[in-house]
Amino acid sequence: MNRLVSRVLSKYTRFSLPRLQFQNIRFSHSFPLRDYQQKAIDLILESSNSGVKRQAIEMATGSGKTVVFSHLIPLLKGKGTKTLVLEHTQELIAQSYDKITRINPDLRVGIEMAESRARLNDDVIVASVQSLATNKRFTKFNPDDFKTII
């Protein structure tokens, strides 16, 4: 992890929510889902299994969108195996990287932003929209490798 990401990640306070029970999926990390987050995941998976390819979900600020999509990453199926997470700011990139790696410690997560370069064998690539807007950086990735874009 480069110094910029380390510096941004250090701004976030580490915390754990109380462990809650939920219906379908059990995880062994410190980010248990709240009922509405589990419902969002269940609905997204149900729609995905029904063939809906483009989904949008609306959640209020602070409601745990990053936690929800971090839980979804290993559950979503598609033609490819990788996930691309697009963000607009360094803070959101750092937050996504932090949550994804903590919720999914078995996944290789890379950052494509400024001086940071994701590896081609990363399972999840968290990228800035601005960095991928350049053709040189965008074309290094094969679109067929991605099962989903968040």
Side-chain angles (χ1 to χ4, degrees):
M1 184 170 12
N2 70 31
R3 289 188 323 231
L4 173 64
V5 173
S6 296
R7 194 171 70 225
V8 173
L9 286 176
S10 69
K11 292 180 182 179
Y12 294 98
T13 304
R14 306 262 188 242
F15 64 94
S16 294
L17 297 172
R19 190 160 290 285
L20 302 174
Q21 296 297 319
F22 46 88
Q23 299 166 347
N24 300 334
I25 305 162
R26 305 259 183 240
F27 293 94
S28 61
H29 48 70
S30 62
F31 289 96
L33 295 168
R34 296 177 183 255
D35 291 341
Y36 64 89
Q37 292 169 324
Q38 182 62 52
K39 184 175 181 179
I41 287 174
D42 292 343
L43 291 172
I44 291 167
L45 292 173
E46 182 181 314
S47 295
S48 181
N49 291 336
S50 297
V52 178
K53 301 245 187 260
R54 296 181 183 191
Q55 298 186 47
I57 186 161
E58 181 178 308
M59 295 174 70
T61 301
S63 61
K65 293 178 285 293
T66 307
V67 171
V68 168
F69 76 68
S70 294
H71 280 86
L72 271 171
I73 289 171
L75 303 174
L76 291 170
K77 306 293 182 228
K79 291 181 182 177
T81 58
K82 299 175 187 250
T83 298
L84 176 62
V85 177
L86 294 173
E87 299 286 7
H88 288 283
T89 66
Q90 289 179 345
E91 291 80 15
L92 291 174
I93 289 169
Q95 177 185 351
S96 294
Y97 177 88
D98 180 50
K99 290 288 188 300
I100 293 166
T101 55
R102 290 171 67 188
I103 291 173
N104 302 289
D106 296 338
L107 295 178
R108 292 180 306 273
V109 182
I111 293 178
E112 188 74 23
M113 170 188 72
E115 304 86 35
S116 298
R117 301 288 190 267
R119 297 173 305 265
L120 292 177
N121 66 340
D122 285 334
D123 300 310
V124 180
I125 297 164
V126 182
S128 72
V129 173
Q130 299 85 343
S131 292
L132 287 188
T134 66
N135 198 32
K136 180 181 175 186
R137 295 201 56 182
F138 183 72
T139 56
K140 94 176 198 183
F141 300 107
N142 180 355
D144 294 333
D145 290 343
F146 293 98
K147 64 180 178 178
T148 191
I149 299 172
I150 298 173

